[in-house]
Amino acid sequence: MTKPIYVLNGPNLNRLGTREPHLYGSTTLSQVEAMCRAAAGDLTVVFRQSNREYDLIDWIHEAIDEGCAIVINPAAFTFTSMAILDALKMFPGPIIELHITNIHRREPIYHRSYVSLVATAIIAGLGAGGYGVAVRAALDLVEPKPA
């Protein structure tokens, strides 16, 4: 496999490590990136974060042409962005929706994910360590283990 896995992060995730550590822990986004690269082994990881919806959409479009899988933590855009949903609908490979917290144990506003409508799998509530799980799951979905 030569195509990279795209790991895309939405708004406020650049503040990991300092943002509400009682919810999100003390792991920084650069530490999360290192976890993703370690979990991917030799496979290239395109790791990005933006507070802007249009950046995420442009990166999803890029992944449609160049990626084998997407791991996406759209953060607040999970619950608001039909545009991200529409972009993800075009992606032909596995999509892993990721949340650091268990969104279903939080306030009701966090219970309806647009991304879940197209996600291959959803990982929520494992903390920052969920990123490594998500990357390994994406690899397994792209290159299934022989029976």
Side-chain angles (χ1 to χ4, degrees):
M1 172 182 6
T2 58
K3 290 184 169 189
I5 289 179
Y6 278 68
V7 180
L8 304 178
N9 297 280
N12 300 309
L13 291 168
N14 57 309
R15 305 293 298 170
L16 282 179
T18 58
R19 175 190 177 204
E20 298 178 278
H22 63 284
L23 284 177
Y24 300 104
S26 59
T27 304
T28 65
L29 191 61
S30 62
Q31 291 170 316
V32 167
E33 181 177 0
M35 285 184 230
C36 291
R37 295 189 187 286
D42 293 333
L43 185 66
T44 301
V45 172
V46 175
F47 189 94
R48 297 183 177 148
Q49 185 279 327
S50 181
N51 295 320
R52 294 176 295 273
E53 183 179 34
Y54 63 85
D55 284 339
L56 291 167
I57 293 165
D58 284 346
W59 296 335
I60 293 166
H61 291 174
E62 181 181 311
I64 291 165
D65 297 329
E66 299 179 20
C68 68
I70 295 175
V71 172
I72 185 165
N73 182 346
F77 293 139
T78 303
F79 317 104
T80 63
S81 181
M82 292 184 72
I84 288 174
L85 167 65
D86 286 344
L88 288 170
K89 284 180 184 178
M90 294 183 269
F91 186 73
I95 299 167
I96 309 293
E97 177 183 355
L98 172 77
H99 300 284
I100 293 169
T101 65
N102 182 347
I103 60 174
H104 302 290
R105 292 188 68 191
R106 298 191 57 195
E107 299 88 347
I109 194 168
Y110 296 113
H111 294 179
R112 178 166 162 72
S113 164
Y114 285 111
V115 174
S116 293
L117 298 172
V118 294
T120 306
I122 302 159
I123 297 171
L126 296 179
Y131 278 88
V133 173
V135 168
R136 287 188 296 276
L139 287 172
D140 286 346
L141 289 167
V142 171
E143 288 187 348
K145 304 277 187 258

